[in-house]
Amino acid sequence: MSRIRTEEEKQAARRMTREKQKEDWLQQQEEKRSGHERYMKEAVKQAKKAAALGEVPIGCVIVQEGKIIGRGYNRRNTDKSTLAHAEIAAIRRASRAVGDWRLEDCALYVTLEPCQMCAGAIVQARIPEVFIGCMNPKAGCAGSVYNLLEEPAFNHQAQVFRGLLEEECSQLMKGFFKDLRLRTGRERQETAKTEGRRETAKTEGRQETES
């Protein structure tokens, strides 16, 4: 007579099954990397649109049956909206395209690891597959700070592939912030020069008045 497994043993067995399924899926996607990179390149194009507006360069596309049905890029400062993230814009467009809030047969490609808001929206939209360019150690919620996308307590988990065109996506971010620092430095120098000229003019004016 076989022994009845304890609840802890059942949970451990389920975890092992999930881990095996995850490993198998990742291996399958690795074999299809060239195809996935094609879609990530489209997400990079979206990110460059954000950079052209002076926004942090984050881009996203959503694919259904080999066709891009949603595109989005970061417009938070441009739109003055906390919600104007690349993933949210892409999800809205994809939902309009399919006529449903559920995106259960879609894959999402994003250049930067999603934040907590966007990761939550991905879970809510039931998107089953997420492909990430580079990780976001300070605010990412697909494994860096937290992993909302694969949280077993939720009623939906996404399969996550990380590091797709990682170098290109990372360089896009680094280049943006390098330019931003240089631009900010120049603006501070110009401000300092302007303030210096004003102070000089004030001093000279006082001296002329006193004489």
Side-chain angles (χ1 to χ4, degrees), residues 38-39 61-71 97 106-107:
R38 178 164 63 91
Y39 296 122
V61 299
I62 295 176
V63 176
Q64 181 189 56
E65 297 178 353
K67 179 182 177 182
I68 295 176
I69 61 169
R71 291 177 170 85
C106 298

Side-chain angles (χ1 to χ4, degrees), residues 15-25:
R15 280 196 300 271
M16 289 179 64
T17 299
R18 286 197 298 268
E19 287 300 317
K20 181 64 169 60
Q21 290 172 342
K22 180 178 178 180
E23 289 175 8
D24 290 345
W25 181 82

Side-chain angles (χ1 to χ4, degrees), residues 153-178:
F154 292 147
N155 63 343
H156 173 78
Q157 297 84 37
Q159 300 272 28
V160 183
F161 188 100
R162 301 168 180 86
L164 187 65
L165 292 186
E166 182 176 13
E167 184 62 24
E168 185 172 350
C169 294
S170 179
Q171 287 302 319
L172 196 60
M173 295 291 291
K174 290 176 181 177
F176 171 82
F177 284 110
K178 181 180 178 180

Side-chain angles (χ1 to χ4, degrees), residues 80-97:
K80 305 294 188 291
S81 172
T82 307
L83 304 178
H85 285 206
E87 299 95 320
I88 301 298
I91 288 171
R92 281 176 174 158
R93 291 188 173 95
S95 293
R96 284 200 296 268

Side-chain angles (χ1 to χ4, degrees), residues 60-63 87 90-91 94-95 101-109 118 121-131 149 156-159:
C60 177
V61 299
I62 295 176
V63 176
E87 299 95 320
I91 288 171
S95 293
W101 61 268
R102 300 175 186 85
L103 301 173
E104 294 173 323
D105 56 350
C106 298
L108 181 145
Y109 297 77
C118 295
I122 290 166
V123 172
Q124 290 290 335
R126 309 293 194 267
I127 296 173
E129 297 179 352
V130 178
F131 297 82
L149 295 182
H156 173 78
Q157 297 84 37
Q159 300 272 28

